[in-house]
Amino acid sequence: MASIQELFDLSGRTAIVTGGAGFLGQQFTEALAEAGADVVVADIEGQAAADWAEHIDRVGGSAASVTLDVTDPASVKELIDFTLKRFGSLDILVNSAALDPKFESGTKSSHATSFEAFPLQSWKDALEVNLTGMFLVSQAAARVMAESGKGSLINICSTYGIAGPDQRLYESLGEPHLYKPVYYSVTKAGVLGLTKYIATYYQGTEIRCNALTPGGVERDHEPAFKEAYAQRTVLGRMAYPHEMKGAVVFLASEASSYMTGSNLIVDGGWTAW
Ligand SMILES: NC(=O)c1ccc[n+]([C@@H]2O[C@H](COP(=O)([O-])OP(=O)(O)OC[C@H]3O[C@@H](n4cnc5c(N)ncnc54)[C@H](O)[C@@H]3O)[C@@H](O)[C@H]2O)c1
């Protein structure tokens, strides 16, 4: 019987994290590397990905970087080819890349778009990255995993894929009224559908697919927003970035070997009431 250390150990595994240079992407890549995996930091921001992979290497992990556009099949193919050539296998995929509008200080003005006036092009762009991109990378990774009959795919969702955004939170940011955009809820709900499709498609194999649903993670938010958000959670606060690390390693590792088609919600209780 495996010990708990063995169950969480990712030594000898290779993981790709799309959006790996992003705010949570950094947490995911760092966590997987700390658990022993070789990690590919894949992001459209190629320099940021390279810098972050270098950081992981410097602190004792094993990482490489790739410039990736999840919406471009040729770029996705290059990612898979690079990963197999560099590390010899592909065991874990974390789909974290997304257009996720932020509400930190100084980033407010681009979110003042009501539902009635929401631009078609923004809707299309987000569907392309958040859903089509996740489909393309999952499909390419699953082709490799299908050969070994084993692998873990982790799709990053959001509480807003489960419940609608509480737009009153964004009111706290003042005038003009800001909104969490419609595409965000729709694409994140779609992530759950894709997760269940992939999980059930690979029935009878050890290819598992689960979603990880973070709640709002504290960054440079305005105090009024932080306070309003905190009141909506059972734990009375936003998440700290490191609070997503355990969940991603759990889903990537043998510790979750009987879990597929599921959604691990790490939201401080947001969706509990
Ligand atoms: N930060 C939060 O509070 C929070 C909460 C719930 C869910 N999430 C989800 O977690 C995931 C990560 O969020 P984050 O906070 O790190 O966001 P982020 O914006 O910091 O990171 C997203 C990353 O994706 C990359 N990216 C965008 N388009 C791409 C493309 N076409 N190809 C490849 N890479 C691309 C960006 O360069 C960026 O590095 C997202 O799916 C987000 O929706 C975040």
PDB file of all heavy atoms in Angstrom, residues 14 16 18 76-77 79-81 83-84 89-95 133-154 198 202 207:
ATOM      1  N   THR A  14       5.815  14.303 -16.085  1.00  0.00           N
ATOM      2  CA  THR A  14       5.970  15.572 -16.804  1.00  0.00           C
ATOM      3  C   THR A  14       4.623  16.281 -16.842  1.00  0.00           C
ATOM      4  O   THR A  14       3.596  15.664 -17.169  1.00  0.00           O
ATOM      5  CB  THR A  14       6.447  15.328 -18.249  1.00  0.00           C
ATOM      6  OG1 THR A  14       7.666  14.590 -18.199  1.00  0.00           O
ATOM      7  CG2 THR A  14       6.690  16.648 -18.970  1.00  0.00           C
ATOM      8  N   ILE A  16       2.490  19.862 -18.163  1.00  0.00           N
ATOM      9  CA  ILE A  16       2.393  21.125 -18.908  1.00  0.00           C
ATOM     10  C   ILE A  16       1.374  21.997 -18.184  1.00  0.00           C
ATOM     11  O   ILE A  16       0.304  21.511 -17.799  1.00  0.00           O
ATOM     12  CB  ILE A  16       1.884  20.887 -20.350  1.00  0.00           C
ATOM     13  CG1 ILE A  16       2.946  20.161 -21.189  1.00  0.00           C
ATOM     14  CG2 ILE A  16       1.485  22.194 -21.011  1.00  0.00           C
ATOM     15  CD1 ILE A  16       2.445  19.758 -22.583  1.00  0.00           C
ATOM     16  N   THR A  18      -0.613  25.434 -19.143  1.00  0.00           N
ATOM     17  CA  THR A  18      -0.854  26.563 -20.044  1.00  0.00           C
ATOM     18  C   THR A  18      -1.186  27.786 -19.188  1.00  0.00           C
ATOM     19  O   THR A  18      -1.722  27.652 -18.087  1.00  0.00           O
ATOM     20  CB  THR A  18      -2.010  26.285 -21.026  1.00  0.00           C
ATOM     21  OG1 THR A  18      -3.261  26.347 -20.301  1.00  0.00           O
ATOM     22  CG2 THR A  18      -1.872  24.925 -21.698  1.00  0.00           C
ATOM     23  N   VAL A  76       0.211  24.592 -30.580  1.00  0.00           N
ATOM     24  CA  VAL A  76      -0.093  23.511 -29.626  1.00  0.00           C
ATOM     25  C   VAL A  76       0.733  22.261 -29.967  1.00  0.00           C
ATOM     26  O   VAL A  76       1.294  21.601 -29.094  1.00  0.00           O
ATOM     27  CB  VAL A  76      -1.611  23.196 -29.627  1.00  0.00           C
ATOM     28  CG1 VAL A  76      -1.911  21.953 -28.811  1.00  0.00           C
ATOM     29  CG2 VAL A  76      -2.392  24.396 -29.102  1.00  0.00           C
ATOM     30  N   LYS A  77       0.849  21.977 -31.256  1.00  0.00           N
ATOM     31  CA  LYS A  77       1.635  20.809 -31.680  1.00  0.00           C
ATOM     32  C   LYS A  77       3.106  20.993 -31.274  1.00  0.00           C
ATOM     33  O   LYS A  77       3.756  20.061 -30.783  1.00  0.00           O
ATOM     34  CB  LYS A  77       1.503  20.616 -33.196  1.00  0.00           C
ATOM     35  CG  LYS A  77       2.241  19.375 -33.682  1.00  0.00           C
ATOM     36  CD  LYS A  77       2.025  19.109 -35.145  1.00  0.00           C
ATOM     37  CE  LYS A  77       2.748  17.839 -35.622  1.00  0.00           C
ATOM     38  NZ  LYS A  77       4.126  17.695 -35.181  1.00  0.00           N
ATOM     39  N   LEU A  79       4.217  22.654 -28.808  1.00  0.00           N
ATOM     40  CA  LEU A  79       4.287  22.460 -27.346  1.00  0.00           C
ATOM     41  C   LEU A  79       4.426  20.971 -26.997  1.00  0.00           C
ATOM     42  O   LEU A  79       5.273  20.584 -26.183  1.00  0.00           O
ATOM     43  CB  LEU A  79       3.022  23.037 -26.690  1.00  0.00           C
ATOM     44  CG  LEU A  79       2.750  22.605 -25.240  1.00  0.00           C
ATOM     45  CD1 LEU A  79       3.750  23.269 -24.293  1.00  0.00           C
ATOM     46  CD2 LEU A  79       1.321  22.954 -24.820  1.00  0.00           C
ATOM     47  N   ILE A  80       3.592  20.156 -27.618  1.00  0.00           N
ATOM     48  CA  ILE A  80       3.603  18.716 -27.308  1.00  0.00           C
ATOM     49  C   ILE A  80       4.924  18.099 -27.783  1.00  0.00           C
ATOM     50  O   ILE A  80       5.580  17.338 -27.046  1.00  0.00           O
ATOM     51  CB  ILE A  80       2.392  18.007 -27.962  1.00  0.00           C
ATOM     52  CG1 ILE A  80       1.074  18.643 -27.508  1.00  0.00           C
ATOM     53  CG2 ILE A  80       2.430  16.501 -27.672  1.00  0.00           C
ATOM     54  CD1 ILE A  80       0.717  18.489 -26.059  1.00  0.00           C
ATOM     55  N   ASP A  81       5.333  18.453 -29.009  1.00  0.00           N
ATOM     56  CA  ASP A  81       6.586  17.910 -29.553  1.00  0.00           C
ATOM     57  C   ASP A  81       7.762  18.296 -28.651  1.00  0.00           C
ATOM     58  O   ASP A  81       8.616  17.462 -28.339  1.00  0.00           O
ATOM     59  CB  ASP A  81       6.841  18.443 -30.973  1.00  0.00           C
ATOM     60  CG  ASP A  81       5.841  17.874 -31.971  1.00  0.00           C
ATOM     61  OD1 ASP A  81       5.121  16.915 -31.615  1.00  0.00           O
ATOM     62  OD2 ASP A  81       5.772  18.393 -33.104  1.00  0.00           O
ATOM     63  N   THR A  83       7.726  19.074 -25.492  1.00  0.00           N
ATOM     64  CA  THR A  83       7.628  18.414 -24.174  1.00  0.00           C
ATOM     65  C   THR A  83       8.141  16.975 -24.254  1.00  0.00           C
ATOM     66  O   THR A  83       8.920  16.530 -23.393  1.00  0.00           O
ATOM     67  CB  THR A  83       6.162  18.432 -23.690  1.00  0.00           C
ATOM     68  OG1 THR A  83       5.722  19.786 -23.627  1.00  0.00           O
ATOM     69  CG2 THR A  83       6.012  17.783 -22.325  1.00  0.00           C
ATOM     70  N   LEU A  84       7.716  16.274 -25.293  1.00  0.00           N
ATOM     71  CA  LEU A  84       8.126  14.868 -25.418  1.00  0.00           C
ATOM     72  C   LEU A  84       9.625  14.762 -25.681  1.00  0.00           C
ATOM     73  O   LEU A  84      10.306  13.873 -25.155  1.00  0.00           O
ATOM     74  CB  LEU A  84       7.322  14.189 -26.532  1.00  0.00           C
ATOM     75  CG  LEU A  84       5.826  14.046 -26.239  1.00  0.00           C
ATOM     76  CD1 LEU A  84       5.093  13.446 -27.421  1.00  0.00           C
ATOM     77  CD2 LEU A  84       5.593  13.198 -24.979  1.00  0.00           C
ATOM     78  N   SER A  89       7.967  12.316 -21.768  1.00  0.00           N
ATOM     79  CA  SER A  89       6.607  11.852 -21.476  1.00  0.00           C
ATOM     80  C   SER A  89       5.693  13.062 -21.245  1.00  0.00           C
ATOM     81  O   SER A  89       6.167  14.196 -21.124  1.00  0.00           O
ATOM     82  CB  SER A  89       6.588  10.963 -20.217  1.00  0.00           C
ATOM     83  OG  SER A  89       6.861  11.745 -19.069  1.00  0.00           O
ATOM     84  N   LEU A  90       4.420  12.783 -21.199  1.00  0.00           N
ATOM     85  CA  LEU A  90       3.449  13.819 -20.804  1.00  0.00           C
ATOM     86  C   LEU A  90       2.398  13.142 -19.934  1.00  0.00           C
ATOM     87  O   LEU A  90       1.650  12.290 -20.406  1.00  0.00           O
ATOM     88  CB  LEU A  90       2.793  14.470 -22.032  1.00  0.00           C
ATOM     89  CG  LEU A  90       1.646  15.434 -21.710  1.00  0.00           C
ATOM     90  CD1 LEU A  90       2.087  16.527 -20.748  1.00  0.00           C
ATOM     91  CD2 LEU A  90       1.110  16.064 -22.988  1.00  0.00           C
ATOM     92  N   ASP A  91       2.378  13.499 -18.674  1.00  0.00           N
ATOM     93  CA  ASP A  91       1.501  12.821 -17.712  1.00  0.00           C
ATOM     94  C   ASP A  91       0.398  13.725 -17.164  1.00  0.00           C
ATOM     95  O   ASP A  91      -0.643  13.237 -16.728  1.00  0.00           O
ATOM     96  CB  ASP A  91       2.349  12.311 -16.532  1.00  0.00           C
ATOM     97  CG  ASP A  91       3.545  11.515 -17.027  1.00  0.00           C
ATOM     98  OD1 ASP A  91       3.349  10.376 -17.450  1.00  0.00           O
ATOM     99  OD2 ASP A  91       4.672  12.060 -17.027  1.00  0.00           O
ATOM    100  N   ILE A  92       0.676  15.036 -17.135  1.00  0.00           N
ATOM    101  CA  ILE A  92      -0.245  15.975 -16.470  1.00  0.00           C
ATOM    102  C   ILE A  92      -0.417  17.204 -17.359  1.00  0.00           C
ATOM    103  O   ILE A  92       0.572  17.750 -17.860  1.00  0.00           O
ATOM    104  CB  ILE A  92       0.358  16.414 -15.111  1.00  0.00           C
ATOM    105  CG1 ILE A  92       0.555  15.210 -14.178  1.00  0.00           C
ATOM    106  CG2 ILE A  92      -0.499  17.493 -14.455  1.00  0.00           C
ATOM    107  CD1 ILE A  92       1.664  15.397 -13.161  1.00  0.00           C
ATOM    108  N   LEU A  93      -1.662  17.614 -17.543  1.00  0.00           N
ATOM    109  CA  LEU A  93      -1.921  18.889 -18.236  1.00  0.00           C
ATOM    110  C   LEU A  93      -2.788  19.748 -17.333  1.00  0.00           C
ATOM    111  O   LEU A  93      -3.857  19.306 -16.900  1.00  0.00           O
ATOM    112  CB  LEU A  93      -2.657  18.649 -19.564  1.00  0.00           C
ATOM    113  CG  LEU A  93      -3.208  19.926 -20.230  1.00  0.00           C
ATOM    114  CD1 LEU A  93      -2.091  20.863 -20.666  1.00  0.00           C
ATOM    115  CD2 LEU A  93      -4.104  19.567 -21.422  1.00  0.00           C
ATOM    116  N   VAL A  94      -2.333  20.963 -17.082  1.00  0.00           N
ATOM    117  CA  VAL A  94      -3.161  21.937 -16.365  1.00  0.00           C
ATOM    118  C   VAL A  94      -3.533  23.037 -17.356  1.00  0.00           C
ATOM    119  O   VAL A  94      -2.662  23.752 -17.857  1.00  0.00           O
ATOM    120  CB  VAL A  94      -2.427  22.537 -15.149  1.00  0.00           C
ATOM    121  CG1 VAL A  94      -3.319  23.547 -14.431  1.00  0.00           C
ATOM    122  CG2 VAL A  94      -1.971  21.443 -14.192  1.00  0.00           C
ATOM    123  N   ASN A  95      -4.814  23.139 -17.660  1.00  0.00           N
ATOM    124  CA  ASN A  95      -5.310  24.168 -18.578  1.00  0.00           C
ATOM    125  C   ASN A  95      -5.678  25.409 -17.770  1.00  0.00           C
ATOM    126  O   ASN A  95      -6.794  25.535 -17.273  1.00  0.00           O
ATOM    127  CB  ASN A  95      -6.556  23.650 -19.303  1.00  0.00           C
ATOM    128  CG  ASN A  95      -6.227  22.741 -20.458  1.00  0.00           C
ATOM    129  OD1 ASN A  95      -5.410  23.093 -21.325  1.00  0.00           O
ATOM    130  ND2 ASN A  95      -6.842  21.568 -20.487  1.00  0.00           N
ATOM    131  N   GLY A 133      -9.316  27.047 -27.054  1.00  0.00           N
ATOM    132  CA  GLY A 133      -7.925  26.803 -26.668  1.00  0.00           C
ATOM    133  C   GLY A 133      -7.808  25.612 -25.731  1.00  0.00           C
ATOM    134  O   GLY A 133      -6.933  24.748 -25.889  1.00  0.00           O
ATOM    135  N   MET A 134      -8.693  25.529 -24.763  1.00  0.00           N
ATOM    136  CA  MET A 134      -8.656  24.403 -23.821  1.00  0.00           C
ATOM    137  C   MET A 134      -8.953  23.088 -24.550  1.00  0.00           C
ATOM    138  O   MET A 134      -8.328  22.055 -24.289  1.00  0.00           O
ATOM    139  CB  MET A 134      -9.669  24.640 -22.690  1.00  0.00           C
ATOM    140  CG  MET A 134      -9.512  23.655 -21.545  1.00  0.00           C
ATOM    141  SD  MET A 134     -10.645  23.962 -20.172  1.00  0.00           S
ATOM    142  CE  MET A 134      -9.888  25.336 -19.322  1.00  0.00           C
ATOM    143  N   PHE A 135      -9.880  23.143 -25.493  1.00  0.00           N
ATOM    144  CA  PHE A 135     -10.190  21.964 -26.310  1.00  0.00           C
ATOM    145  C   PHE A 135      -8.950  21.520 -27.088  1.00  0.00           C
ATOM    146  O   PHE A 135      -8.583  20.335 -27.090  1.00  0.00           O
ATOM    147  CB  PHE A 135     -11.348  22.300 -27.269  1.00  0.00           C
ATOM    148  CG  PHE A 135     -11.401  21.449 -28.500  1.00  0.00           C
ATOM    149  CD1 PHE A 135     -11.752  20.111 -28.441  1.00  0.00           C
ATOM    150  CD2 PHE A 135     -11.086  21.996 -29.751  1.00  0.00           C
ATOM    151  CE1 PHE A 135     -11.787  19.325 -29.590  1.00  0.00           C
ATOM    152  CE2 PHE A 135     -11.114  21.219 -30.894  1.00  0.00           C
ATOM    153  CZ  PHE A 135     -11.465  19.875 -30.818  1.00  0.00           C
ATOM    154  N   LEU A 136      -8.275  22.466 -27.748  1.00  0.00           N
ATOM    155  CA  LEU A 136      -7.132  22.101 -28.602  1.00  0.00           C
ATOM    156  C   LEU A 136      -5.984  21.489 -27.795  1.00  0.00           C
ATOM    157  O   LEU A 136      -5.402  20.481 -28.201  1.00  0.00           O
ATOM    158  CB  LEU A 136      -6.622  23.346 -29.348  1.00  0.00           C
ATOM    159  CG  LEU A 136      -7.493  23.853 -30.499  1.00  0.00           C
ATOM    160  CD1 LEU A 136      -6.969  25.188 -31.025  1.00  0.00           C
ATOM    161  CD2 LEU A 136      -7.553  22.812 -31.623  1.00  0.00           C
ATOM    162  N   VAL A 137      -5.665  22.095 -26.664  1.00  0.00           N
ATOM    163  CA  VAL A 137      -4.527  21.580 -25.882  1.00  0.00           C
ATOM    164  C   VAL A 137      -4.903  20.240 -25.242  1.00  0.00           C
ATOM    165  O   VAL A 137      -4.093  19.307 -25.206  1.00  0.00           O
ATOM    166  CB  VAL A 137      -4.068  22.606 -24.813  1.00  0.00           C
ATOM    167  CG1 VAL A 137      -2.820  22.087 -24.101  1.00  0.00           C
ATOM    168  CG2 VAL A 137      -3.767  23.955 -25.437  1.00  0.00           C
ATOM    169  N   SER A 138      -6.137  20.118 -24.780  1.00  0.00           N
ATOM    170  CA  SER A 138      -6.582  18.847 -24.191  1.00  0.00           C
ATOM    171  C   SER A 138      -6.538  17.734 -25.228  1.00  0.00           C
ATOM    172  O   SER A 138      -6.096  16.610 -24.952  1.00  0.00           O
ATOM    173  CB  SER A 138      -8.015  18.962 -23.660  1.00  0.00           C
ATOM    174  OG  SER A 138      -8.092  19.956 -22.677  1.00  0.00           O
ATOM    175  N   GLN A 139      -7.011  18.042 -26.418  1.00  0.00           N
ATOM    176  CA  GLN A 139      -7.043  17.053 -27.505  1.00  0.00           C
ATOM    177  C   GLN A 139      -5.622  16.578 -27.824  1.00  0.00           C
ATOM    178  O   GLN A 139      -5.364  15.370 -27.936  1.00  0.00           O
ATOM    179  CB  GLN A 139      -7.669  17.709 -28.731  1.00  0.00           C
ATOM    180  CG  GLN A 139      -7.874  16.789 -29.905  1.00  0.00           C
ATOM    181  CD  GLN A 139      -8.404  17.568 -31.110  1.00  0.00           C
ATOM    182  OE1 GLN A 139      -7.897  18.650 -31.440  1.00  0.00           O
ATOM    183  NE2 GLN A 139      -9.419  17.028 -31.746  1.00  0.00           N
ATOM    184  N   ALA A 140      -4.694  17.522 -27.942  1.00  0.00           N
ATOM    185  CA  ALA A 140      -3.311  17.168 -28.288  1.00  0.00           C
ATOM    186  C   ALA A 140      -2.659  16.367 -27.159  1.00  0.00           C
ATOM    187  O   ALA A 140      -1.929  15.397 -27.411  1.00  0.00           O
ATOM    188  CB  ALA A 140      -2.512  18.434 -28.579  1.00  0.00           C
ATOM    189  N   ALA A 141      -2.913  16.744 -25.923  1.00  0.00           N
ATOM    190  CA  ALA A 141      -2.331  16.010 -24.783  1.00  0.00           C
ATOM    191  C   ALA A 141      -2.962  14.620 -24.669  1.00  0.00           C
ATOM    192  O   ALA A 141      -2.276  13.630 -24.386  1.00  0.00           O
ATOM    193  CB  ALA A 141      -2.562  16.791 -23.493  1.00  0.00           C
ATOM    194  N   ALA A 142      -4.266  14.548 -24.919  1.00  0.00           N
ATOM    195  CA  ALA A 142      -4.966  13.267 -24.785  1.00  0.00           C
ATOM    196  C   ALA A 142      -4.478  12.255 -25.816  1.00  0.00           C
ATOM    197  O   ALA A 142      -4.437  11.056 -25.541  1.00  0.00           O
ATOM    198  CB  ALA A 142      -6.476  13.475 -24.927  1.00  0.00           C
ATOM    199  N   ARG A 143      -4.064  12.750 -26.984  1.00  0.00           N
ATOM    200  CA  ARG A 143      -3.507  11.835 -28.011  1.00  0.00           C
ATOM    201  C   ARG A 143      -2.292  11.109 -27.436  1.00  0.00           C
ATOM    202  O   ARG A 143      -2.113   9.913 -27.664  1.00  0.00           O
ATOM    203  CB  ARG A 143      -3.069  12.632 -29.240  1.00  0.00           C
ATOM    204  CG  ARG A 143      -4.199  12.927 -30.179  1.00  0.00           C
ATOM    205  CD  ARG A 143      -3.656  13.523 -31.494  1.00  0.00           C
ATOM    206  NE  ARG A 143      -4.708  14.303 -32.114  1.00  0.00           N
ATOM    207  CZ  ARG A 143      -4.661  15.621 -32.337  1.00  0.00           C
ATOM    208  NH1 ARG A 143      -3.586  16.315 -32.034  1.00  0.00           N
ATOM    209  NH2 ARG A 143      -5.678  16.233 -32.878  1.00  0.00           N
ATOM    210  N   VAL A 144      -1.464  11.831 -26.706  1.00  0.00           N
ATOM    211  CA  VAL A 144      -0.257  11.223 -26.103  1.00  0.00           C
ATOM    212  C   VAL A 144      -0.679  10.297 -24.962  1.00  0.00           C
ATOM    213  O   VAL A 144      -0.210   9.165 -24.852  1.00  0.00           O
ATOM    214  CB  VAL A 144       0.685  12.324 -25.565  1.00  0.00           C
ATOM    215  CG1 VAL A 144       1.895  11.695 -24.879  1.00  0.00           C
ATOM    216  CG2 VAL A 144       1.117  13.250 -26.682  1.00  0.00           C
ATOM    217  N   MET A 145      -1.570  10.774 -24.120  1.00  0.00           N
ATOM    218  CA  MET A 145      -1.983   9.979 -22.955  1.00  0.00           C
ATOM    219  C   MET A 145      -2.702   8.699 -23.387  1.00  0.00           C
ATOM    220  O   MET A 145      -2.599   7.664 -22.725  1.00  0.00           O
ATOM    221  CB  MET A 145      -2.875  10.817 -22.033  1.00  0.00           C
ATOM    222  CG  MET A 145      -2.124  11.968 -21.366  1.00  0.00           C
ATOM    223  SD  MET A 145      -3.231  13.012 -20.401  1.00  0.00           S
ATOM    224  CE  MET A 145      -2.113  14.295 -19.813  1.00  0.00           C
ATOM    225  N   ALA A 146      -3.408   8.769 -24.501  1.00  0.00           N
ATOM    226  CA  ALA A 146      -4.148   7.589 -24.976  1.00  0.00           C
ATOM    227  C   ALA A 146      -3.189   6.444 -25.296  1.00  0.00           C
ATOM    228  O   ALA A 146      -3.564   5.274 -25.194  1.00  0.00           O
ATOM    229  CB  ALA A 146      -4.993   7.949 -26.188  1.00  0.00           C
ATOM    230  N   GLU A 147      -1.964   6.797 -25.684  1.00  0.00           N
ATOM    231  CA  GLU A 147      -0.991   5.738 -26.010  1.00  0.00           C
ATOM    232  C   GLU A 147      -0.599   4.946 -24.772  1.00  0.00           C
ATOM    233  O   GLU A 147      -0.418   3.728 -24.826  1.00  0.00           O
ATOM    234  CB  GLU A 147       0.256   6.345 -26.661  1.00  0.00           C
ATOM    235  CG  GLU A 147      -0.007   6.747 -28.104  1.00  0.00           C
ATOM    236  CD  GLU A 147       1.157   7.495 -28.726  1.00  0.00           C
ATOM    237  OE1 GLU A 147       2.302   7.345 -28.239  1.00  0.00           O
ATOM    238  OE2 GLU A 147       0.909   8.237 -29.688  1.00  0.00           O
ATOM    239  N   SER A 148      -0.461   5.656 -23.634  1.00  0.00           N
ATOM    240  CA  SER A 148      -0.087   4.955 -22.398  1.00  0.00           C
ATOM    241  C   SER A 148      -1.324   4.558 -21.585  1.00  0.00           C
ATOM    242  O   SER A 148      -1.246   3.763 -20.646  1.00  0.00           O
ATOM    243  CB  SER A 148       0.811   5.851 -21.533  1.00  0.00           C
ATOM    244  OG  SER A 148       0.094   6.998 -21.161  1.00  0.00           O
ATOM    245  N   GLY A 149      -2.474   5.118 -21.940  1.00  0.00           N
ATOM    246  CA  GLY A 149      -3.717   4.817 -21.209  1.00  0.00           C
ATOM    247  C   GLY A 149      -3.762   5.453 -19.832  1.00  0.00           C
ATOM    248  O   GLY A 149      -4.557   5.053 -18.968  1.00  0.00           O
ATOM    249  N   LYS A 150      -2.931   6.510 -19.636  1.00  0.00           N
ATOM    250  CA  LYS A 150      -2.813   7.090 -18.296  1.00  0.00           C
ATOM    251  C   LYS A 150      -2.533   8.592 -18.394  1.00  0.00           C
ATOM    252  O   LYS A 150      -1.823   9.015 -19.311  1.00  0.00           O
ATOM    253  CB  LYS A 150      -1.623   6.403 -17.605  1.00  0.00           C
ATOM    254  CG  LYS A 150      -1.668   6.411 -16.112  1.00  0.00           C
ATOM    255  CD  LYS A 150      -0.649   5.419 -15.560  1.00  0.00           C
ATOM    256  CE  LYS A 150      -0.379   5.631 -14.094  1.00  0.00           C
ATOM    257  NZ  LYS A 150      -1.467   6.041 -13.250  1.00  0.00           N
ATOM    258  N   GLY A 151      -3.063   9.356 -17.484  1.00  0.00           N
ATOM    259  CA  GLY A 151      -2.771  10.784 -17.464  1.00  0.00           C
ATOM    260  C   GLY A 151      -3.807  11.535 -16.648  1.00  0.00           C
ATOM    261  O   GLY A 151      -4.878  11.012 -16.349  1.00  0.00           O
ATOM    262  N   SER A 152      -3.446  12.767 -16.287  1.00  0.00           N
ATOM    263  CA  SER A 152      -4.376  13.602 -15.523  1.00  0.00           C
ATOM    264  C   SER A 152      -4.512  14.958 -16.202  1.00  0.00           C
ATOM    265  O   SER A 152      -3.514  15.665 -16.384  1.00  0.00           O
ATOM    266  CB  SER A 152      -3.876  13.774 -14.081  1.00  0.00           C
ATOM    267  OG  SER A 152      -4.721  14.673 -13.387  1.00  0.00           O
ATOM    268  N   LEU A 153      -5.738  15.294 -16.574  1.00  0.00           N
ATOM    269  CA  LEU A 153      -6.015  16.619 -17.149  1.00  0.00           C
ATOM    270  C   LEU A 153      -6.773  17.430 -16.105  1.00  0.00           C
ATOM    271  O   LEU A 153      -7.738  16.924 -15.504  1.00  0.00           O
ATOM    272  CB  LEU A 153      -6.860  16.501 -18.420  1.00  0.00           C
ATOM    273  CG  LEU A 153      -6.206  15.723 -19.569  1.00  0.00           C
ATOM    274  CD1 LEU A 153      -6.836  14.356 -19.699  1.00  0.00           C
ATOM    275  CD2 LEU A 153      -6.362  16.469 -20.886  1.00  0.00           C
ATOM    276  N   ILE A 154      -6.331  18.662 -15.913  1.00  0.00           N
ATOM    277  CA  ILE A 154      -6.943  19.521 -14.893  1.00  0.00           C
ATOM    278  C   ILE A 154      -7.350  20.830 -15.560  1.00  0.00           C
ATOM    279  O   ILE A 154      -6.504  21.563 -16.088  1.00  0.00           O
ATOM    280  CB  ILE A 154      -5.936  19.785 -13.756  1.00  0.00           C
ATOM    281  CG1 ILE A 154      -5.495  18.458 -13.129  1.00  0.00           C
ATOM    282  CG2 ILE A 154      -6.545  20.708 -12.699  1.00  0.00           C
ATOM    283  CD1 ILE A 154      -4.223  18.552 -12.308  1.00  0.00           C
ATOM    284  N   ILE A 198     -14.537  14.808 -21.452  1.00  0.00           N
ATOM    285  CA  ILE A 198     -13.241  14.112 -21.558  1.00  0.00           C
ATOM    286  C   ILE A 198     -13.192  12.960 -20.559  1.00  0.00           C
ATOM    287  O   ILE A 198     -12.764  11.845 -20.880  1.00  0.00           O
ATOM    288  CB  ILE A 198     -12.072  15.101 -21.340  1.00  0.00           C
ATOM    289  CG1 ILE A 198     -12.032  16.132 -22.471  1.00  0.00           C
ATOM    290  CG2 ILE A 198     -10.734  14.353 -21.237  1.00  0.00           C
ATOM    291  CD1 ILE A 198     -11.047  17.271 -22.266  1.00  0.00           C
ATOM    292  N   TYR A 202     -13.034   8.785 -21.773  1.00  0.00           N
ATOM    293  CA  TYR A 202     -11.928   7.866 -21.466  1.00  0.00           C
ATOM    294  C   TYR A 202     -12.310   6.842 -20.399  1.00  0.00           C
ATOM    295  O   TYR A 202     -11.470   6.380 -19.642  1.00  0.00           O
ATOM    296  CB  TYR A 202     -10.660   8.658 -21.091  1.00  0.00           C
ATOM    297  CG  TYR A 202     -10.071   9.313 -22.326  1.00  0.00           C
ATOM    298  CD1 TYR A 202     -10.207  10.679 -22.549  1.00  0.00           C
ATOM    299  CD2 TYR A 202      -9.439   8.540 -23.287  1.00  0.00           C
ATOM    300  CE1 TYR A 202      -9.699  11.261 -23.707  1.00  0.00           C
ATOM    301  CE2 TYR A 202      -8.932   9.117 -24.452  1.00  0.00           C
ATOM    302  CZ  TYR A 202      -9.060  10.475 -24.649  1.00  0.00           C
ATOM    303  OH  TYR A 202      -8.567  11.036 -25.798  1.00  0.00           O
ATOM    304  N   ILE A 207      -6.995   7.524 -17.739  1.00  0.00           N
ATOM    305  CA  ILE A 207      -6.922   8.948 -18.121  1.00  0.00           C
ATOM    306  C   ILE A 207      -8.054   9.658 -17.390  1.00  0.00           C
ATOM    307  O   ILE A 207      -9.232   9.379 -17.626  1.00  0.00           O
ATOM    308  CB  ILE A 207      -7.062   9.133 -19.643  1.00  0.00           C
ATOM    309  CG1 ILE A 207      -5.905   8.418 -20.352  1.00  0.00           C
ATOM    310  CG2 ILE A 207      -7.100  10.614 -20.008  1.00  0.00           C
ATOM    311  CD1 ILE A 207      -6.041   8.371 -21.862  1.00  0.00           C
TER     312      ILE A 207
END
